[in-house]
Amino acid sequence: MGLLSWLFGSAKQERKRTPVSRASRRKSRRAERTYTLAEMESIAAMAKNLARIVEESVGIVQSSRNPSTIESRTAVAREKFELLKKMNRDYSFLILESLDEVELTLRELEANLERGEEMQSEEEGHGSAFSFATYGLGGGPWPDGVEERPYKSDAEAATAGNRLWIGPGEAKRIGNWQVPGGMLYIGKNLPGDSLYGGSEPSLINPKLKTRPPRPGSDDRKLHYWPSYSTISPGARVIYLDWLEKGRSDPDIPLGFVFLFFYGLERRILLDAPHIDRAREEVPALIAEIERLLTIYADSRSFRNYATQLLTIARLKFTTQRAYELPAPSLTSRCNLDLGLLIPLGQLIADKKSIPASWALAWCIADDSTRIRTPAKRCPDEFTALFAAYYKKKFADGLQIKPNKKRLKRRVTPASAGLQRGHVLEDDSLPDVGGLSAPVRKFQVLFNRCMDDLDSYSRLLGRDPEAAGTAKAFSLLPDAIATARGGEEVDGIRVWADEVIRGGGVVAVKDAMARWPCSKPAKMTKREAVEFAQCLDRLGFGMEPDVRFAAPAPQQPGHLVLFRLPSDHPDTPSEDYVAATVLIHLAAMVAAADGSICADEKRHLEHHIEHALRLSVAERLRLAAHLDWLIKDQPGTAGLKKRLAQVPAEARKAMASFAISVAGADGRIDPAEIKTLRNIYGFLSLEQDNLYADIHSLVTQDPGGPATAPVTVQASGPNSTGFKLPSQEEPKKADDTKPEAVDPQAVDPQGIVLDMDLVKKRLKQTREVSSILSSIFTEEDAGEGTSPTTDSELALASPDCEQSNLIEGLDAAHSTLLRALALSPGWTAEDFQSLVEDHDLMPSGAMETLNEAAFDSFGGAVLEGDDPINLNDEILQQMLS
Amino acid sequence: MSTNKKLLPTVRDAILQSLRAGVVPRIGQQHIQVGRVGEVRALLGDIERIADGGSGIRFIIGEYGSGKTFFLHLIRSIALEKKLITVHADLTPDRRLQASGGQARALYQELMRNLSTRSKPDGGALSSVVERFVTTALTEAKAQGITPDAAIRRKLADLSEMVGGYAFADVIAAYWRGYDSGDDVLRGNAVRWLRAEFSTKTDARKALGVRTIIDDASIYDHLKLFACFVRLAGYSGLLVCIDEMVNLFKLSSGQARRSNYEQILRILNDSLQGSACGMGMLLGGTPEFLMDPRRGLHSYEALQSRLAVNTFAKKGLVDFDGPVLTLPNLSQEDLFVLLCKICKVHRNGRDDIDLMPDDMIQAFMEYSMKTVGSAYYRTPRKTITAFVKLLSVLEQNPGTNWREVLDRDPITKDHDPDLFDGTEDDSPPTSETEGSSNDDGLSTFKL
């Protein structure tokens, strides 16, 4: 078989699921620490090295006849193998295949050693000439082996093989088996072209014993490097059966496939360069290998060897460029060796850009690429996504400048019979193996693909049937979603179109009928996100949208659908969140009086359009959000959380806006005030300030009440913008709402007076002064008296002589005043008796006299209570 | 008053002394009124309507310090000038519109104690009004040859239709009898009755022979009665000013609040329907008194719709016709103009000395803002008292640089304590503004 292939597992779960070996299963149960990528790489390199040593040692032991070599090499192999097993146990990320087979082989070798037997099972001729085995394009030096090469030259080896080769299509009878298809070496003796001699492993010697396999025997188990000559008679029967039945039983242990493959390998690598007939057969051989690959591609080991052989065959014997063939897919991952190096090198040499499929193959073959579940579970979507991203990023593909290093690789055939230093060298091809820059670029895309497919992959993980449903559609990344809708998706598109034509509002129930949900009453958050994404993909937005800080839709409620503009954000901006809170609060206020009237709605919409700093898409969304708020009038759940992000001064502004909304219909209803109180609680503002704030908003009017009534629009920019206009109009904020200013925040620079306003105030003050002075100074005497008094007095003194009367007084009071005028001051007692002498009452007389004095001359004539003094100035005026 | 005219020295002193003491001047408010043309016009209209026999009610709503009290006093002096009788009182925990434990009667007593006429603007004019009525009745009696008692009865015949009107006529007649017969006790009892100082009917019956008294339940009826009476006495009408309505809001008993609000509703309905002739009501309160949905006027449903805040957002003029009149707070510019006017009053026509140029007023405001702190924004009281004091210091110490005076450290330089004691203490102003009644508060300055 092949080398101990290794890889590093990237994720734990992946490791657990990969059926590798008992050892690895055991180890997966252990608690593990995590390793950095660098650590894993160096450990993997160590393991790789050990595996190579074991492999080489076993090869040497198997093919050597020198006892001391065998002994020492067996010991080395065992030692290194133990180390490998230990590593396999210790490092869970390390996955070693074929450990069991190697173990088996080793044990056998050791047993043989103990028995002192020679490993050599058959007598085989061995060539004496030591020569460089070169295959095709140059060759590597024959390593310093102990053994000699069995053939003098490649040509000799080719000729020897050719003699025993059964060409493609030739049926051949082997014992009781009628084997169709040919492509086999059949004969008694054919030395392998291995470093250490030995027979060609694929050679079928019809003389060897066959016996039907016994049940329970180990016949189906082959050693690591099987050879027809050394396998058990039962195994030979299994092999021949397989051959007879067309080499297509998928359940055959892979060792038998390899046994056959060794022959193809020898034919192509050894015979074809020298034998014309062999060269002509190459296309048929290629076809056969491709056929085998379709059946046995599951084995990474087989895949690697087969692909390598195919690539070499094509390179050497056909004109086809390797990259014209389909690149290996995700499911047929290869190592980064010749199977990839050649096509990639050719692409670069031909100055072609790397197509997405080869970029992907390159990427996944690279050791440092970690392939996570999304890529494995949905390879189709992944490949499409990668192609889409690749196209977006590199357009037609990344063009790589050829590097200087030429392609030169040691070819390691699978067959033990060909174990020597084949080297493939091609001066026309750059060696991309050492390039890391392009791979890194691909890996960025690769990782992004995996991330973007994550949720989709999880859905498929939960429900493998979900592929193609609307739900799956909603989780697909945008780049590949459009092409992957289904009937269900089309249904939703038509439905949403209809809803929007009908005004955009639709019952949640209706939506849930189209979107399967786990609970009947409401969508879960995840379901709502998926639904929103699905709509999003179809060009619709919905509110409430949990992605935009809204609650999940629930019954009985409504959704508002709207058309999204092409460039819309997927996540809410900070401003947007604040705006939703603002609108929410405002809508609560507006609805508090039982209905949201047109004025209030217009006010809100106007605010959305003009006052908030939002993008077009956000405004559209917010308008839909408002429609939803109006329709459903949801409670305050979740508001508090959103409010936490809003700074204090913005909360203040929100409160002002809420008040302005309450008043948008011309009156602040007590129910609205109640709601406002709650909102103040929400905003963590002092509830007792509410009335002051309403009051100040009501009276807010820098221009004076009579000339510039407050309009809501005017108050908008001042009081509701989130960025307070501290720079432009600091004084205005001070002036109009002084109580709103935090004293700590007062600009220590002092007061800036708005002189225009002062002038305005002065003007108003003059106005009010003139009004007041017209009231308080009725200089134009007599006429100022009220009609009531006049008529009463006239009635009271109809028969008095006009000439004796003092203006505004009747006869009795006129006489009294004249009497009083005799003295500048009177004591209360004197005053009383004097008044009584005139048949009057003191308080009443004083009041009447003063009243008349006020009417005519703007002042009282009698002052004080005791003594009572006469105001001379006014007295003289009255008497005159 | 024309701005060039000299004030009477008494008026000037009264204004300045009141301001210095931090209270609203009783006279001469018109000299320091700033702005508020619309409000003044609206109330002037009200007063003229009352003088014509109509009725009116206004809720003057403003923050602490927005000038409610000042405004009320201004309107009151306008009313006096218009030959109205005014009565005014602050509500307190012991004085309410409606009560059963004598608190309403206490309010009535307070109102009557503060009964003012133009010639007696400081209150105590009850007997003047009664005697003036009696005098006219006597004159009539003499002219028509009937007994004074009959003349009084005849003049008061209209009143007997009203609640308590018959007893009222009896009491006025008793006053005359007491005066006529020199029975001061009888006359005093009559005045006591009019002031609602009888607490039991028995006492009243013994003293005056009347069967009813003015009690908690009937004070509003008697106010209406009194309004008619003053018109008969030759006055234009009665203006009732009640301040500190917030005391109703503060009542802890929901029942008590409710009954008071019911009373307000009755007054409101009477006024709006015009059934209270010649009587106007001015009720001063804070926004929370009006708007609080649990304890304010709005908690009483029938008042909600009548008094909903409606003064903005109709894209026309601010509404001065509704029963609620909102007073905005004093802005910086208003304060500036006010200080200018105080300066002018202080100078009183003497153009030779200008103690406070405009830029100094501004500097003073800044100083005051820093010193007084947050109260500066709530009420100008402290700023104004300090300003008046500063003016008098400057007047008495000619040549002193005002900047020096301002720059002096108020705490270390205690040889000039007068100047700063108004601005020094931060805590008293706040507590005072909020805790004490605003009765006399300068906080009532406003546009």
Side-chain angles (χ1 to χ4, degrees), chain B residues 49-101:
Chain B
R49 198 169 64 243
I50 294 164
D52 290 344
S55 59
I57 183 168
R58 291 278 187 176
F59 292 85
I60 310 295
I61 300 298
E63 285 288 298
Y64 283 118
S66 63
K68 290 185 299 297
T69 306
F70 182 85
F71 189 72
L72 286 179
H73 279 285
L74 176 71
I75 300 306
R76 199 172 68 84
S77 38
I78 293 176
L80 290 175
E81 209 59 35
K82 291 285 181 188
K83 290 179 184 294
L84 267 67
I85 300 289
T86 69
V87 293
H88 65 272
D90 289 351
L91 290 190
T92 68
D94 295 330
R95 297 204 283 262
R96 302 180 204 157
L97 288 173
Q98 173 76 46
S100 52

Side-chain angles (χ1 to χ4, degrees), chain A residues 663 666-668 670 677 691-692 695 698 709 754 761 764-765 767 773 775 786 836 840 843-844 847 851 855, chain B residues 1 35 37 41 61 63 81 83 117-119 131 179 235 292 294 304 309-311 313 316 327 333-334 341:
Chain A
R667 57 198 294 271
I668 295 182
R677 267 186 78 90
Y691 309 107
H695 184 74
V698 169
D754 180 347
R761 286 283 183 264
Q764 289 175 357
T765 304
E767 228 174 296
S773 57
I775 297 168
S786 87
E836 282 167 7
L840 293 170
S843 299
E847 174 73 11
E851 187 74 27
D855 280 349
Chain B
M1 276 231 157
V37 179
R41 277 209 186 106
I61 300 298
E63 285 288 298
E81 209 59 35
K83 290 179 184 294
T117 66
R118 181 163 55 166
S119 45
E131 288 187 10
Y179 178 78
Y235 298 92
D292 191 291
R294 291 172 306 161
Q304 275 185 7
V309 181
N310 73 337
T311 52
L327 297 183
E333 286 74 14
D334 297 328
K341 296 210 83 170

Side-chain angles (χ1 to χ4, degrees), chain B residues 185-228:
Chain B
V185 176
L186 182 60
R187 204 168 56 138
N189 280 339
V191 172
R192 278 182 62 209
W193 189 94
L194 288 173
R195 283 186 184 154
E197 282 173 11
F198 280 104
S199 55
T200 63
K201 289 178 183 171
T202 324
D203 290 349
R205 195 170 175 184
K206 260 186 230 159
L208 295 164
V210 293
R211 288 165 203 278
T212 56
I213 56 167
I214 301 172
D215 57 14
D216 282 340
S218 62
I219 65 161
Y220 175 59
D221 291 317
H222 275 97
L223 281 175
K224 284 204 285 186
L225 196 60
F226 201 81
C228 292

Side-chain angles (χ1 to χ4, degrees), chain A residues 665-680:
Chain A
D665 59 354
R667 57 198 294 271
I668 295 182
D669 193 272
E672 289 174 327
I673 291 180
K674 216 171 264 179
T675 309
L676 283 171
R677 267 186 78 90
N678 292 339
I679 287 174
Y680 266 59

Side-chain angles (χ1 to χ4, degrees), chain A residues 670-828:
Chain A
E672 289 174 327
I673 291 180
K674 216 171 264 179
T675 309
L676 283 171
R677 267 186 78 90
N678 292 339
I679 287 174
Y680 266 59
F682 263 116
L683 294 170
S684 318
L685 297 173
E686 193 55 57
Q687 288 185 339
D688 292 343
N689 287 345
L690 167 65
Y691 309 107
D693 291 346
I694 294 178
H695 184 74
S696 78
L697 212 67
V698 169
T699 55
Q700 173 187 47
D701 185 10
T707 54
V710 172
T711 63
V712 171
Q713 277 74 12
S715 74
N718 222 4
S719 55
T720 58
F722 286 101
K723 322 299 197 245
L724 289 180
S726 52
Q727 289 308 308
E728 311 94 87
E729 349 176 47
K731 63 178 191 307
K732 233 177 189 170
D734 285 357
D735 295 343
T736 52
K737 321 186 277 176
E739 78 289 349
V741 176
D742 177 7
Q744 265 69 44
V746 168
D747 184 3
Q749 298 309 309
I751 300 156
V752 184
L753 290 177
D754 180 347
M755 279 307 164
D756 287 345
L757 202 52
V758 169
K759 275 179 200 145
K760 213 177 255 176
R761 286 283 183 264
L762 281 171
K763 184 166 161 275
Q764 289 175 357
T765 304
R766 273 197 296 278
E767 228 174 296
V768 80
S769 286
S770 75
I771 294 173
L772 293 174
S773 57
S774 75
I775 297 168
F776 286 101
T777 62
E778 301 183 347
E779 296 287 58
D780 38 345
E783 291 158 22
T785 53
S786 87
T788 327
T789 320
D790 274 349
S791 60
E792 298 265 338
L793 290 175
L795 188 72
S797 54
D799 53 353
C800 286
E801 283 179 61
Q802 294 293 325
S803 58
N804 282 339
L805 293 186
I806 290 171
E807 192 174 349
L809 293 178
D810 60 10
H813 287 95
S814 299
T815 321
L816 174 63
L817 185 61
R818 292 210 167 85
L820 284 169
L822 299 176
S823 166
W826 298 80
T827 64

